[in-house]
Amino acid sequence: MKVDSSSNGASAKRLRVIVAGAGKMGAHHARVVTSLGDMASLVGIVDPSEAARQELLDQFPGVAGFDDLESAHQSVHGDVVHVCTPPELHQEVANAALTLGCHTYVEKPFTPTTSGAEQVLQLADEKGLKVCAGHQLLYERPALEAADLANALGSLTHVESYFSFRPVRQASGHASLMRPDLQLLDILPHPTYTLLRFLTDAVPDAATQLKALEAGPGGTIHALIRRGSLTGSLFVTLDGRPIESYLRLVGTNGSLHADFVRGTVQRLIGPGVSGIDKLLAPYLLSWQLFGRSTRAFARRFIQRKGGYPGLTELISAFYDSIDNGGPSPTSPDQILETVRICEQVGRELDPPNRTITVTAPKPDALKVVVTGGTGFLGKEVVHSLLRSGAWVRVVAHRLPAPWQRIPDVEYVASDLASSCGPNVLHGVDVVIHCAAATSGGFDQHQRDSIDATENLLRSAADHGITRLIHVSSLAVLQNTGRRPMRSDGPTEPKSRQRGPYVWGKLESEKRAEEMAQELGLDIRIVRPAALVDYREFDPPGLLGRRIGNVFVAVGATREHAAIADVSFAAEAITWMAYSFPEAPSKLNLLGPGSPTKRELVARVKQANPGVIAVWLPRALLVPLSWGAMGLQKILRPRKAAVNVAKVFARRRFDTSDIELLTPKIKQFEPAHIRPDLGLRRA
């Protein structure tokens, strides 16, 4: 047992609450508990990670910290435990809490399996304790209003629950980032229990059946769920845009649309079959959407509510049920049906009998490790290497979702920032280092760009690998004004003013060169320009920013943009892997024939009909940047201010190197490793 501080000695009238799990969700729960006044008192925080635990304890002085639940209960005698641990631990921790005699709130997903949920609920029943699942959407304003209006719709004929979201790409704090399919399963209970709630209310005396289920590529779920004569549709997607979460109810006397993103409900109550009804319907909906969205956003701004809407209301209802002896706000049947459907979806995403085979490398194949091989450039490099006949191992911070894996590629999960595992570099000829931090502050880039590069180079030397291609960025070069920047030109002397990304790229490049010389490695530095995919065009950040339906382009229309098509960049890196001796030590990797900014904006408008382009002259950016830097220093005095004008400054590059190499890159079609390369077999 490890105790960080003493208990706060809460009143016996209050429920004494222990939060298990000091991550993001645990922090939300802790804040809600402390906001409930005389109803409850936060007395303990449990997490095996001392750093994570202490970070949360610092926000709640006087609360005790522990590294295990049993020790916490013995010390502070909790009445309620909130299980906010990683999902795979929910069942274990919930059972432990119930065994200790505590009412238990379990965050979603309740448990990974139906049998696990049954075990938890059975134990609660035997102990006479209450269990609540994290179904807080049911206590948000749109769901509550929809429940009040449902009877006015007549007999329901259609229930639809829709959820589209963007997977988290950067873990925060001490949490580890889940792969996209696991993130999908993590949020799946929300649209599922919402759908089930309204199906059950409409047809209470029937069994729930999953009639159809399809998991499409890219993380898109289609499901038909029937209860008696009523069928509901469940749609969840990682790729659908814009981000939305809504519930749609259609009945014999009207329809409603409960929008969880805007916090509104739009309704058309009445048959709506007359000509005047059909004429007025779009205007009524538009007025409701405008007025209610405005009120909802104003309410959020005025109340300044953080965290998750509905969470406070659900926890309060759970505590009321404990005090009053009433039923839990989430019934056992509701919990079990939600878990059962989510479990079936999980099996469809990654069937238990699914096998991933990796073809053994041919004796004469080039063996390559690609770090960051699941990223935008890394994935394209892997495809290019496979076309060349190379054998590829991808190293990533986490394994990709099943639908993201490329056939015949070996995937290894490794956190390069902490260490390079023993199987990462075994038996390879060349390392292509694409991994780096793409967001976050300076600490994040220190860890995932600089520290990761150092660990990788040490491991490469230990394994006898001498050839490494380090992917940097054109942004590290110093802008020398009118003179085009060369591959061997000076680098940015004040990189911190350009932000964490440029600083991380430059420092990791410098460290890679220094360590290569110390360790006797042969290294090539590749500095790609802003990467685009012309097959699915998304404008690079240095072109400008989209704000709603307006694209603000920065600079002059005739100015040439320093960009490279990602497929060409991948081909160039593949050529370097095979042609290491003749590849330049440093290469500014731009695409042949750089387009003008006007041409790129035309692509933006073509890909997004209706978008209006507005040009921002660079001269106006200078005073705007001064104001922005001053504001940054006020709001973030301890962090370096980013000079926006310098970020968008015009930059001209010497393209002679890449123009000379382009014919070789385009014509290169290796069938096997050429004997003159003299590659060492580890």
Side-chain angles (χ1 to χ4, degrees):
M1 178 184 75
K2 187 170 186 177
V3 181
D4 301 287
S5 60
S6 60
S7 171
N8 63 359
S11 168
K13 294 180 180 179
R14 296 180 177 180
L15 291 172
R16 300 172 65 81
V17 179
I18 299 171
V19 173
K24 180 180 178 181
M25 206 65 221
H28 284 303
H29 279 250
R31 283 191 284 270
V32 168
V33 172
T34 56
S35 73
L36 293 178
D38 293 335
M39 181 176 283
S41 177
L42 179 66
V43 296
I45 293 171
V46 177
D47 198 292
S49 168
E50 183 177 0
R53 188 172 66 241
Q54 191 58 51
E55 185 175 322
L56 188 54
L57 286 169
D58 289 343
Q59 302 176 39
F60 302 97
V63 175
F66 308 87
D67 56 13
D68 69 272
L69 186 58
E70 185 174 357
S71 300
H73 188 262
Q74 289 175 355
S75 178
V76 298
H77 309 293
D79 302 307
V80 183
V81 171
H82 288 233
V83 181
C84 304
T85 62
E88 62 270 16
L89 299 177
H90 282 185
Q91 180 182 344
E92 176 186 342
V93 179
N95 283 339
L98 292 167
T99 301
L100 291 169
C102 298
H103 302 285
T104 305
Y105 182 113
V106 184
E107 255 305 327
K108 55 82 195 159
F110 188 80
T111 56
T113 64
T114 307
S115 60
E118 289 172 340
Q119 186 185 81
V120 171
L121 294 170
Q122 182 179 351
L123 180 59
D125 186 59
E126 292 172 356
K127 296 281 188 179
L129 297 167
K130 297 189 185 302
V131 172
C132 181
H135 294 181
Q136 70 261 22
L137 256 64
L138 297 177
Y139 281 78
E140 283 195 40
R141 185 182 295 266
L144 295 173
E145 189 175 340
D148 289 340
L149 293 170
N151 288 336
L153 301 178
S155 298
L156 288 186
T157 59
H158 174 70
V159 183
E160 177 187 357
S161 186
Y162 178 94
F163 201 119
S164 63
F165 79 110
R166 182 186 183 191
V168 177
R169 303 181 188 278
Q170 193 77 33
S172 60
H174 304 276
S176 58
L177 184 64
M178 290 191 292
R179 69 192 199 198
D181 57 325
L182 298 182
Q183 291 186 46
L184 186 150
L185 292 175
D186 186 62
I187 62 91
L188 182 62
H190 286 317
T192 302
Y193 65 67
T194 309
L195 176 67
L196 291 174
R197 161 67 185 277
F198 285 88
L199 287 175
T200 303
D201 286 353
V203 190
D205 300 321
T208 301
Q209 297 175 297
L210 181 62
K211 302 300 293 185
L213 174 63
E214 180 177 349
T220 297
I221 302 298
H222 295 265
L224 291 178
I225 301 172
R226 181 179 297 170
R227 191 170 175 96
S229 60
L230 181 61
T231 299
S233 63
L234 174 68
F235 184 87
V236 183
T237 176
L238 305 185
D239 291 339
R241 295 295 179 269
I243 302 301
E244 289 189 281
S245 173
Y246 65 76
L247 177 77
R248 180 169 170 76
L249 304 179
V250 180
T252 55
N253 191 50
S255 65
L256 64 80
H257 182 98
D259 189 324
F260 293 99
V261 173
R262 296 173 182 85
T264 62
V265 174
Q266 291 81 53
R267 62 203 191 201
L268 289 173
I269 302 212
V273 294
S274 69
I276 190 66
D277 285 334
K278 288 185 279 187
L279 179 65
L280 291 177
Y283 298 100
L284 290 172
L285 288 175
S286 299
W287 179 248
Q288 291 180 50
L289 181 61
F290 173 77
R292 294 177 183 180
S293 295
T294 302
R295 288 198 298 272
F297 293 149
R299 185 167 52 246
R300 290 183 187 180
F301 177 77
I302 293 170
Q303 295 176 349
R304 294 183 180 274
K305 281 192 173 181
Y308 288 79
L311 184 62
T312 300
E313 292 78 5
L314 176 57
I315 291 175
S316 179
F318 180 46
Y319 292 173
D320 278 338
S321 74
I322 295 171
D323 288 338
N324 302 328
S328 171
T330 55
S331 69
D333 286 344
Q334 177 187 337
I335 294 171
L336 284 174
E337 288 182 348
T338 301
V339 173
R340 179 170 59 83
I341 289 173
C342 291
E343 182 183 10
Q344 289 175 285
V345 171
R347 286 200 298 267
E348 187 72 16
L349 285 174
D350 195 4
N353 58 354
R354 181 178 183 272
T355 57
I356 301 175
T357 57
V358 179
T359 305
K362 296 178 180 179
D364 58 352
L366 182 68
K367 299 177 184 177
V368 185
V369 157
V370 181
T371 70
T374 59
F376 183 54
L377 173 61
K379 263 192 306 189
E380 203 66 33
V381 170
V382 171
H383 281 296
S384 178
L385 287 167
L386 290 176
R387 289 192 296 268
S388 76
W391 182 88
V392 182
R393 177 184 298 142
V394 166
V395 180
H397 191 70
R398 55 179 171 77
L399 293 176
W403 63 78
Q404 293 178 317
R405 300 184 190 185
I406 302 170
D408 295 326
V409 172
E410 180 182 303
Y411 288 90
V412 176
S414 179
D415 181 8
L416 297 177
S418 56
S419 65
C420 192
N423 298 323
V424 169
L425 301 182
H426 175 71
V428 300
D429 304 309
V430 182
V431 175
I432 300 175
H433 184 35
C434 297
T438 56
S439 61
F442 288 97
D443 289 344
Q444 191 73 42
H445 287 265
Q446 173 69 50
R447 184 185 189 281
D448 292 337
S449 293
I450 303 169
D451 295 348
T453 296
E454 291 180 351
N455 286 334
L456 180 67
L457 264 69
R458 289 193 190 97
S459 186
D462 291 342
H463 284 79
I465 300 168
T466 59
R467 294 182 172 180
L468 186 139
I469 298 173
H470 178 81
V471 178
S472 183
S473 170
L474 274 184
V476 306
L477 291 173
Q478 181 183 7
N479 193 346
T480 52
R482 294 179 177 274
R483 183 178 300 175
M485 289 176 274
R486 297 175 52 85
S487 298
D488 57 357
T491 55
E492 179 62 63
K494 298 180 180 179
S495 59
R496 291 185 74 90
Q497 291 186 8
R498 298 278 306 281
Y501 177 78
V502 174
W503 175 80
K505 280 291 188 182
L506 178 56
E507 294 304 314
S508 59
E509 177 185 314
K510 287 180 178 178
R511 195 71 188 107
E513 287 189 283
E514 293 168 356
M515 291 187 66
Q517 188 172 4
E518 294 169 5
L519 300 171
L521 305 180
D522 199 1
I523 192 170
R524 300 290 183 268
I525 305 293
V526 180
R527 298 183 184 129
L531 294 171
V532 298
D533 187 346
Y534 284 126
R535 296 162 297 190
E536 297 180 8
F537 186 72
D538 191 24
L542 293 180
L543 180 61
R545 295 290 185 272
R546 180 171 177 172
I547 305 172
N549 208 39
V550 176
F551 187 84
V552 181
V554 180
T557 59
R558 296 182 180 180
E559 180 182 335
H560 287 271
I563 65 170
D565 182 68
V566 67
S567 61
F568 174 75
E571 290 172 1
I573 291 172
T574 299
W575 173 82
M576 293 181 74
Y578 279 91
S579 310
F580 216 92
E582 61 179 297
S585 60
K586 294 179 182 177
L587 176 64
N588 288 349
L589 182 49
L590 297 98
S594 59
T596 64
K597 289 195 170 184
R598 181 188 293 277
E599 292 170 337
L600 292 179
V601 170
R603 284 183 176 268
V604 173
K605 296 172 70 174
Q606 183 180 10
N608 301 271
V611 163
I612 300 170
V614 175
W615 289 89
L616 177 65
R618 200 170 273 112
L620 290 179
L621 199 60
V622 175
L624 290 175
S625 182
W626 291 341
M629 289 183 70
L631 189 61
Q632 290 176 66
K633 290 178 180 178
I634 294 172
L635 298 176
R636 303 184 304 175
R638 297 183 180 180
K639 296 185 178 181
V642 177
N643 188 329
V644 180
K646 196 167 186 178
V647 170
F648 282 96
R650 184 173 184 178
R651 297 162 65 83
R652 299 174 63 230
F653 296 93
D654 185 332
T655 60
S656 58
D657 289 345
I658 193 64
E659 289 173 358
L660 183 65
L661 294 176
T662 295
K664 297 181 180 180
I665 294 168
K666 291 292 187 181
Q667 296 167 12
F668 187 63
E669 296 181 359
H672 54 77
I673 295 177
R674 297 180 313 213
D676 60 303
L677 292 185
L679 290 170
R680 180 189 182 281
R681 296 295 186 186

